[in-house]
Amino acid sequence: MNRNISLYEAIGGAETLRRVIESFYPKVQEHELLGPLFPDNIIPVMEKQIMFLTQFFGGPTLFSDAYGHPMMRARHMPFPITPKHAEAWLDCMRRALKETSGLDEELQAYIIERLSGPAHHFVNTPE
Ligand code: HEM
């Protein structure tokens, strides 16, 4: 993988990131542990996630520009997140990345590695 460009660029920018997120949230909604945590209207969540991951992967700071400091752990505090939730979230993302054309396996694995830290950091409830 070319380490001289951002992960955002390596993924293929806005268009590919949107396809990943559009594949990810239906999996989250169908998941027995994750689905109940999310509102029926998933569109605003998807849009915020696209803005956040754009910035997290080194693209334009869309999320902070619109909503201020991310404080992502704090934003997740209203929801009981156990280690199982974190693994389930990562598994939905793993499957979404696999289904999205244009992302080679090394890149998919690297993205999951980058998201594993935050996912486990948002755990706020014991199993
Ligand atoms: C660990 C498992 C996770 C669970 C169970 C989870 C669950 C949730 C829930 C329930 C919401 C609120 C939806 C609503 O608006 O009602 C949310 C929002 C959000 N999550 Fe997660 N999440 C997890 C991990 C992550 C990770 C790893 C990231 C990114 C690295 C992330 C990024 C976001 C963003 C950007 C929002 C929108 C925040 C806002 O409203 O401003 N989440 N998440």
Side-chain angles (χ1 to χ4, degrees):
M1 198 165 68
N2 183 349
R3 307 268 171 196
N4 296 318
I5 60 170
S6 68
L7 186 50
Y8 175 73
E9 289 168 288
I11 289 168
E15 196 260 336
T16 315
L17 186 55
R18 177 167 291 277
R19 285 195 283 121
V20 172
I21 298 307
E22 286 177 354
S23 167
F24 173 68
Y25 278 104
K27 295 175 182 16
V28 167
Q29 285 183 297
E30 280 167 21
H31 196 285
E32 58 171 355
L33 270 183
L34 302 176
L37 298 179
F38 286 83
D40 287 343
N41 179 10
I42 204 72
I43 304 294
V45 182
M46 282 179 47
E47 293 306 324
K48 281 182 171 175
Q49 186 64 277
I50 290 169
M51 293 166 91
F52 179 75
L53 289 181
T54 295
Q55 155 170 352
F56 184 74
F57 291 151
T61 55
L62 302 181
F63 188 91
S64 295
D65 294 351
Y67 302 110
H69 193 287
M71 302 182 303
M72 264 310 144
R73 188 167 195 277
R75 288 183 202 261
H76 285 81
M77 278 313 251
F79 311 99
I81 301 181
T82 68
K84 273 195 180 136
H85 286 92
E87 280 310 315
W89 191 101
L90 289 166
D91 193 55
C92 290
M93 184 58 80
R94 206 174 276 118
R95 289 188 284 131
L97 291 166
K98 202 171 175 184
E99 276 179 26
T100 305
S101 57
L103 303 175
D104 67 38
E105 282 184 19
E106 191 194 355
L107 187 54
Q108 292 176 35
Y110 183 61
I111 294 166
I112 289 298
E113 194 186 310
R114 287 288 305 274
L115 291 171
S116 294
H120 288 282
H121 180 61
F122 300 162
V123 170
N124 54 27
T125 306
E127 211 62 73

